[in-house]
Amino acid sequence: MNLNLSAQKIDSDSLLVQTLHEMNSANNYLKAIQMAKKGIQIAPDYLDFHLALGRSYQLINENDSARVSFNYVINKNPSYRDAFEYLAELEIEEKNILNANTILDKALLHYPEEKDFHFLKLQAIELENDDEKLIAYLLSLIQKYPEDQNIKQQLTELQAKSVSDRVGVNYNHTTFERNGFGPWHLMGLQYVRERKKFTAIGRINYADRRALGASINTGIQYEMETYFVNSNKGYSFVNVGYSNAIVFPKVRFSYSYFRTLAKSWEGEMGIRYTKTGASDLYGGVLGIGKYLNSYWINFKSYINIDKSNLYPAFSGTVRYYFGTKYDYATILGGYGTSPDEKVTLGQLDQRAALDSYRIGAGYYKLFWEHYFGGIQAMYNHQEYTPGSFQNELDLFLSIHYKF
């Protein structure tokens, strides 16, 4: 027996254990790199040192050095599964689509039943922004993993995003804590045509405002709304409304541009125009939103401009998604009257200068595959003349059919 080779093997194994401890437990990546390099000098064919070196480099974001080590391990011995996984994660993180697909195709040749590699491949395909290719791959994964609900959910959401036609009705019932005033009724019928790059919505709204048990004003409003993709990172929203009834603005125009930012943030910048019977109001909106696991958090600030007067408004929304994009619970709050509100928009010129404090909550759900609906309640402490307040309660109901 060669005692020198045996001692060298024992020393290498001991050094590898220490290296992995520094990397995984002590999080001392620089020391782990030093020790891995020493191990490579002692035993250059001991691929575990090369793998540890690459992983340590990856953990300090020296990705070029990490890439060299991982590729070395894979080329020498493709049975090192972790080298494939670490390298694929690195390429996906840096959005190197071609490299990620190449390494994952190679990994799946050696590990065709490895579920983690199939899901990394899914992430790589998502980077391509090709919905048809992504749907095809999800369908293949469903055949392979028929019990995986996450795959089914992602496919459902993607198909709903790509192609969807639906009709729906909405209803708002608003009551006022003021004798003889209200309630207000607002009903809407809408058709939505959703495609991969755009969404078009046509809507007819009917309002009936009542006081002392009788209808005092009614009217119809016509709306057209669209969302369309500008680029891989941006999309736009446009809304145009018209009515010749006093309960609605005569003309309404809204435009916003949304931009995807780093780390799941999204920014919004837009303009608003509302023509009521007595005023032309202009406005601007700035918004910021973020997806945080199953939560979506959004904050918007508005400026309403009436002649030379500026009136601010603010709104905040938190949603928790527990299924598809149609399944969520939400809480809302805000100050002031914004030009995006539906129920009181016909009074924007009167309410913009008055204080308003609101809070609400809602619940929305997809059921029986084709139906989704929601219920939402909003409490508003509204100033109706300077120094005088009323409490308002708005109840919103909706039901839609998707086909």
Side-chain angles (χ1 to χ4, degrees):
M1 179 178 180
N2 191 323
L3 295 178
N4 288 333
L5 287 178
S6 178
Q8 185 184 57
K9 179 67 168 59
I10 293 171
D11 289 344
S12 298
D13 288 342
S14 176
L15 182 58
L16 179 62
V17 170
Q18 295 176 45
T19 302
L20 295 177
H21 171 78
E22 295 297 334
M23 182 180 70
N24 296 323
S25 300
N27 298 329
N28 191 340
Y29 307 123
L30 294 178
K31 187 173 182 180
I33 289 170
Q34 292 176 350
M35 298 177 74
K37 287 181 176 179
K38 183 178 179 180
I40 291 170
Q41 289 178 343
I42 296 171
D45 294 329
Y46 203 165
L47 295 180
D48 293 78
F49 283 114
H50 293 272
L51 183 63
L53 180 62
R55 181 58 174 165
S56 297
Y57 275 131
Q58 184 180 18
L59 291 170
I60 62 172
N61 296 317
E62 291 192 14
N63 289 338
D64 288 340
S65 297
R67 190 178 283 111
V68 171
S69 294
F70 294 145
N71 278 311
Y72 181 86
V73 173
I74 290 169
N75 292 332
K76 287 289 185 179
N77 188 347
S79 66
Y80 275 74
R81 175 200 171 283
D82 288 349
F84 284 109
E85 183 173 1
Y86 294 150
L87 182 55
E89 289 173 346
L90 184 155
E91 301 295 2
I92 289 170
E93 181 181 351
E94 292 200 337
K95 299 184 179 180
N96 295 323
I97 298 172
L98 180 60
N99 291 351
N101 280 315
T102 299
I103 196 65
L104 284 166
D105 288 342
K106 189 173 181 179
L108 287 167
L109 281 175
H110 293 280
Y111 303 94
E113 301 304 318
E114 186 64 61
K115 190 173 182 179
D116 287 346
F117 288 143
H118 285 288
F119 278 88
L120 285 171
K121 179 71 174 178
L122 181 63
Q123 292 180 41
I125 293 174
E126 287 176 336
L127 295 176
E128 300 182 44
N129 293 314
D130 185 335
D131 286 351
E132 292 182 4
K133 185 175 181 179
L134 187 55
I135 287 173
Y137 193 71
L138 285 167
L139 288 170
S140 71
L141 289 183
I142 285 177
Q143 293 180 348
K144 199 169 187 67
Y145 306 108
E147 302 303 319
D148 195 306
Q149 295 300 316
N150 290 329
I151 299 175
K152 293 179 180 179
Q153 176 184 321
Q154 187 172 353
L155 179 63
T156 298
E157 290 183 348
L158 189 62
Q159 289 174 329
K161 168 190 169 186
S162 300
V163 177
S164 173
D165 291 274
R166 56 187 189 266
V167 293
V169 291
N170 305 319
Y171 171 67
N172 285 81
H173 180 83
T174 308
T175 58
F176 302 83
E177 193 181 53
R178 189 149 52 111
N179 290 335
F181 195 76
W184 288 0
H185 304 278
L186 176 64
M187 291 158 278
L189 173 66
Q190 67 179 20
Y191 169 72
V192 181
R193 184 174 179 84
E194 191 171 28
R195 294 299 181 264
K196 186 164 64 175
K197 299 263 184 186
F198 76 95
T199 298
I201 304 170
R203 189 180 296 117
I204 300 175
N205 301 314
Y206 172 78
D208 178 15
R209 292 185 180 173
R210 306 179 68 84
L212 298 172
S215 177
I216 56 172
N217 280 306
T218 63
I220 292 176
Q221 180 193 48
Y222 304 93
E223 279 188 287
M224 288 297 297
E225 192 170 295
T226 183
Y227 296 83
F228 57 90
V229 174
N230 299 100
S231 65
N232 288 338
K233 291 189 175 182
Y235 66 96
S236 292
F237 157 78
V238 178
N239 175 281
V240 178
Y242 170 78
S243 177
N244 59 6
I246 193 172
V247 290
F248 292 107
K250 187 172 182 62
V251 176
R252 177 191 188 207
F253 174 78
S254 302
Y255 172 80
S256 280
Y257 175 71
F258 297 85
R259 179 76 175 181
T260 300
L261 307 173
K263 298 183 178 179
S264 301
W265 287 90
E266 181 181 76
E268 176 188 0
M269 182 170 58
I271 58 173
R272 303 290 188 265
Y273 169 71
T274 307
K275 181 179 181 62
T276 66
S279 301
D280 292 274
L281 290 94
Y282 300 85
V285 56
L286 290 174
I288 189 73
K290 180 175 175 61
Y291 288 92
L292 189 64
N293 297 322
S294 297
Y295 290 90
W296 178 70
I297 303 168
N298 181 263
F299 178 78
K300 292 186 182 184
S301 61
Y302 300 85
I303 288 291
N304 298 306
I305 306 171
D306 186 4
K307 299 176 182 176
S308 60
N309 299 311
L310 304 180
Y311 305 111
F314 306 94
S315 69
T317 304
V318 177
R319 290 181 183 175
Y320 176 76
Y321 289 91
F322 48 86
T324 70
K325 66 178 181 180
Y326 306 108
D327 299 278
Y328 62 91
T330 183
I331 57 174
L332 312 94
Y335 166 81
T337 301
S338 85
D340 286 346
E341 291 166 21
K342 301 285 189 181
V343 177
T344 60
L345 193 56
Q347 292 188 335
L348 180 61
D349 56 337
Q350 303 168 42
R351 293 192 172 214
L354 300 172
D355 288 333
S356 173
Y357 306 89
R358 65 192 67 220
I359 189 169
Y363 179 82
Y364 296 80
K365 178 67 178 172
L366 175 70
F367 52 95
W368 300 331
E369 293 187 7
H370 293 285
Y371 296 89
F372 65 94
I375 180 170
Q376 184 171 297
M378 179 73 75
Y379 165 78
N380 182 24
H381 187 58
Q382 175 69 52
E383 188 178 30
Y384 62 93
T385 61
S388 298
F389 285 83
Q390 65 188 15
N391 294 319
E392 303 173 359
L393 181 62
D394 181 66
L395 181 65
F396 171 79
L397 301 170
S398 72
I399 182 71
H400 291 239
Y401 176 76
K402 179 167 66 73
F403 54 94

